[in-house]
Amino acid sequence: MLRGHSMIRKGDITTAELTATEKRVLLALGEKGGKWNQRTLSEKTGINEDAVMQAAFMLAQRELCEIKEEKKVYYRLTEEGRAYAEEGLPERRALYFLIDRNGATVEELRDAFGDEVKIAINWLLKKNWARIEKRGAERYLIPTIVLEESLSGIDEEILDFVSEGATERGTLAGRIKTRILLTEDELNGFLTQLSSRNLVESYSRVEREIAITEVGKEEVLSRRDISVEDEIAQLTPELLRTGSWRGRKFKRYDVNLASKEVFPAKIHPYQRLLDRMRRIFTEMGFVEIKGEVVQSAFWNFDALFVPQDHPAREMQDTFYLAARKRIEASDEEIEKVKQMHEHGGSLNSTGWGGEWKRELGEELLLRTHTTAVTLSYLASHPEPPVKVFCIDRVYRRETIDPTHIPEFDQLEGIVMDEGVTFSNLLGCLATFYNKIGFPSIRFRPGYFPYTEPSVEVEVYMAERGWIELGGAGIFREEVTNPMGVDYPVLAWGLGIGRLAMISLGLADIRDLYQPDIDWLRNARIVR
Ligand code: FA5
């Protein structure tokens, strides 16, 4: 029969092959009852709990011991619970107060109990320790029980026991039941009541009991000579240099054992995705550019042929700054933009008509799209070819929902060269989406004041249907002409947050910014 050397069968392994720690643990288990929990076993052997458990698991694999796991529930007092355990529950103190005076008005109770009066009255009535009686205009609380009957409530006993350290559910139940006849359901009811009053809180812990098996006992008996000799767990330069490793025993390793989970630092999944996008565009021959967050309305809107009365320019859509600034463009460029808006400049265009106001162009704002960045780059690089992209933050006054946030990232790009066409634009975008993991996208006719033709890119998401990922088109001549650009410009602006949300399997764009440690730990690292 072929034997996989990593498989451990009953009887295959003798104590001769146990590590020193395993031998120590086995010997300890062999004593007396042979049942221990990991803490006592650790104390007995003088080996730390982790190492004890590791050894116990190895012994269990060889059927030399058994490990039973049990989830135990514990209780502890909250800060408020601790205070009440010392001075008594408010209703208890209020009851004594009422008994002393043979009843008291709500005001008297308020004077005596201050902030606690509500809790006290509430529970006095709930526990039937007092009733309300109207005497004239006054409302009195009258005690309904005599002192002897009310010596201690079960909830108070539980508080006492927990404060004395009977914190494990079973121990607590045992102690309570020696004093009071109580079913499990009743006990649960009291514990729930104390938790909802925020006086105790529960937590759970897995506890392990390690017991030697018959095989283990035989092993210990038959090998009274089990010797615990020191083993080398790690080869050091010292051991090699001096040669003292010779003749010594080496610790055995089982390379098939599951290792402890480690969570190394890693780059945030969203940042990784941004880096991947950068890499894709760089590999496609693009150069990354950067621009200012604060832009003038001129570069964000006017130079893009967005009319001055366009709704997107309104205060409720755009974050404006209180300040204005001289437009950073040549007088000639500004004049050409003005002419273009008013009557189409020297082109066969009507423009938007009306008067173009320079002061509106001077208004400063938080850029609403990265198109402001690529356009001003184009204005200073009017000669072909231009192939640049920009990944950056943009800002809009938005009502927040699963696909809208006021601060999000866009991936902008332009290609300007002689003879580039609309199909080149669609091909370029399809290539990008394909590389980033969206093999099927669709283009729909769109509208932007600065492009013609214009498209919107969409991707299908099972739960949400088609989601709009970005806009694209060929810059209109009304945009390129004032900048001195004579060739077609393919342009796009893609929303990255939405793409990231789909690609990272999130249902809500806001989750990209939530510090959810489990999600971060489990997020797969993909190139
Ligand atoms: C624009 O911003 C255009 N500048 C794109 C463009 C560039 C068109 C160049 C033509 C030429 P739009 O407003 O549709 O277009 O925004 C682009 C993408 O950003 C949207 O498709 C969407 O994916 C994303 N987006 C828009 N608003 C939000 C928001 N509030 N939260 C998250 N993503 C958003």
Side-chain angles (χ1 to χ4, degrees):
M1 188 176 74
L2 264 181
R3 284 192 168 188
H5 68 275
S6 65
M7 261 167 49
I8 296 164
R9 287 188 182 75
K10 188 170 171 181
D12 277 2
I13 300 285
T14 66
T15 45
E17 290 164 297
L18 299 178
T19 64
T21 310
E22 287 158 14
K23 281 181 195 167
R24 274 201 212 129
V25 171
L26 184 63
L27 286 176
L29 285 172
E31 281 181 24
K32 297 196 189 126
K35 264 189 193 171
W36 309 86
N37 67 32
Q38 68 191 69
R39 187 169 43 80
T40 47
L41 200 50
S42 160
E43 280 163 11
K44 185 162 174 54
T45 52
I47 304 168
N48 75 47
E49 284 190 32
D50 276 353
V52 158
M53 278 322 294
Q54 204 183 352
F57 280 125
M58 287 306 296
L59 292 173
Q61 272 201 7
R62 293 156 205 215
E63 298 182 13
L64 297 173
C65 78
E66 259 174 5
I67 303 173
K68 282 198 196 120
E69 290 194 346
E70 200 182 345
K71 196 169 160 188
K72 294 221 165 148
V73 177
Y74 285 81
Y75 293 91
R76 61 182 160 226
L77 297 182
T78 61
E79 210 174 302
E80 205 175 343
R82 211 167 305 126
Y84 289 166
E86 271 170 28
E87 64 195 31
L89 292 174
E91 65 268 28
R92 162 73 49 194
R93 285 177 275 130
L95 174 67
Y96 291 155
F97 184 84
L98 295 182
I99 290 173
D100 271 358
R101 289 166 178 69
N102 208 3
T105 64
V106 173
E107 278 62 42
E108 283 167 340
L109 277 167
R110 182 168 298 126
D111 289 345
F113 289 91
D115 287 347
E116 287 177 337
V117 72
K118 255 187 160 168
I119 308 177
I121 295 181
N122 201 353
W123 285 98
L124 275 174
L125 298 175
K126 241 188 210 167
K127 290 185 172 176
N128 274 331
W129 286 356
R131 65 189 157 76
I132 293 183
E133 203 175 286
K134 267 193 130 184
R135 292 184 189 162
E138 293 281 21
R139 288 195 310 161
Y140 276 79
L141 275 121
I142 311 295
T144 52
I145 46 175
V146 289
L147 201 53
E148 288 77 14
E149 287 173 23
S150 63
L151 270 180
S152 196
I154 297 169
D155 49 353
E156 292 163 303
E157 299 244 354
I158 295 176
L159 271 189
D160 277 350
F161 285 148
V162 175
S163 73
E164 285 163 14
T167 57
E168 191 270 315
R169 175 77 170 67
T171 320
L172 181 66
R175 285 194 65 182
I176 294 278
K177 285 175 185 171
T178 56
R179 290 181 45 78
I180 306 152
L181 209 60
L182 207 62
T183 65
E184 276 299 295
D185 279 354
E186 285 166 336
L187 176 61
N188 280 339
F190 282 109
L191 287 166
T192 313
Q193 187 193 84
L194 287 168
S195 305
S196 60
R197 285 186 79 173
N198 192 29
L199 304 183
V200 298
E201 57 193 8
S202 66
Y203 59 98
S204 57
R205 236 176 27 204
V206 173
E207 286 192 357
R208 299 193 177 99
E209 187 190 72
I210 305 137
I212 193 160
T213 57
E214 286 309 314
V215 185
K217 278 182 195 158
E218 277 168 30
E219 200 69 59
V220 175
L221 279 180
S222 69
R223 299 186 157 260
R224 291 203 175 281
D225 58 336
I226 293 182
S227 70
V228 183
E229 96 189 71
D230 266 349
E231 295 169 329
I232 299 177
Q234 202 168 9
L235 259 187
T236 59
E238 180 67 17
L239 285 170
L240 289 174
R241 199 170 48 246
T242 58
S244 60
W245 58 272
R246 284 198 187 87
R248 299 271 305 277
K249 201 165 157 24
F250 284 87
K251 183 175 160 123
R252 289 174 70 248
Y253 285 98
D254 182 346
V255 291
N256 294 306
L257 273 188
S259 60
K260 210 170 173 180
E261 262 190 297
V262 283
F263 302 103
K266 57 186 178 189
I267 296 172
H268 193 286
Y270 185 43
Q271 183 59 48
R272 293 185 70 86
L273 198 66
L274 296 182
D275 293 343
R276 223 167 110 213
M277 292 178 182
R278 286 203 165 88
R279 218 166 32 236
I280 292 175
F281 270 99
T282 311
E283 281 166 10
M284 284 163 74
F286 285 77
V287 172
E288 184 170 4
I289 58 168
K290 284 276 175 198
E292 298 295 327
V293 168
V294 174
Q295 294 279 344
S296 62
F298 179 83
W299 285 112
N300 197 81
F301 295 126
D302 296 298
L304 280 163
F305 199 53
V306 178
Q308 292 198 314
D309 59 359
H310 193 282
R313 299 180 68 140
E314 302 281 328
M315 294 278 279
Q316 61 264 31
D317 286 317
T318 299
F319 292 107
Y320 282 95
L321 275 65
R324 283 183 184 198
K325 203 175 156 204
R326 224 189 126 260
I327 297 170
E328 284 176 16
S330 67
D331 284 343
E332 190 194 352
E333 273 169 341
I334 298 171
E335 186 53 31
K336 278 189 167 171
V337 167
K338 179 179 166 65
Q339 302 295 331
M340 200 55 76
H341 276 250
E342 289 179 356
H343 55 77
S346 56
L347 301 178
N348 183 17
S349 162
T350 56
W352 298 114
E355 186 198 351
W356 182 83
K357 297 195 178 82
R358 188 184 181 118
E359 60 280 14
L360 292 184
E362 285 173 346
E363 285 178 337
L364 293 178
L365 47 81
L366 298 185
R367 64 183 172 210
T368 63
H369 53 183
T370 35
T371 320
V373 176
T374 42
L375 181 71
S376 54
Y377 180 86
L378 193 66
S380 53
H381 298 80
E383 294 305 320
V386 170
K387 235 179 132 180
V388 293
F389 75 100
C390 165
I391 293 186
D392 236 324
R393 190 59 58 94
V394 299
Y395 307 82
R396 293 183 194 177
R397 276 182 189 271
E398 288 272 15
T399 309
I400 297 175
D401 69 20
T403 51
H404 290 87
I405 37 176
E407 223 183 295
F408 59 98
D409 297 300
Q410 282 193 332
L411 195 172
E412 194 82 24
I414 49 170
V415 177
M416 185 264 279
D417 207 354
E418 195 176 346
V420 288
T421 65
F422 190 56
S423 329
N424 295 141
L425 172 65
L426 303 190
C428 188
L429 292 177
T431 306
F432 163 71
Y433 280 111
N434 217 314
K435 281 178 185 259
I436 203 85
F438 294 97
S440 77
I441 49 162
R442 76 173 184 187
F443 296 105
R444 290 204 317 149
Y447 172 77
F448 300 98
Y450 32 95
T451 48
E452 181 57 37
S454 309
V455 285
E456 270 168 11
V457 195
E458 294 182 338
V459 69
Y460 192 76
M461 202 181 158
E463 312 82 61
R464 282 180 196 285
W466 289 96
I467 293 197
E468 182 202 317
L469 289 185
I474 300 186
F475 274 157
R476 297 171 72 113
E477 265 195 274
E478 284 94 334
V479 176
T480 51
N481 177 281
M483 303 298 136
V485 173
D486 297 328
Y487 297 103
V489 181
L490 317 179
W492 57 87
L494 318 175
I496 324 185
R498 289 190 194 167
L499 188 153
M501 151 193 164
I502 306 170
S503 152
L504 299 172
L506 300 171
D508 195 312
I509 194 166
R510 286 166 284 190
D511 291 342
L512 284 174
Y513 307 94
Q514 301 294 336
D516 177 343
I517 200 76
D518 280 340
W519 180 74
L520 290 171
R521 279 179 168 170
N522 293 319
R524 288 188 53 216
I525 297 182
V526 280
R527 213 186 85 82

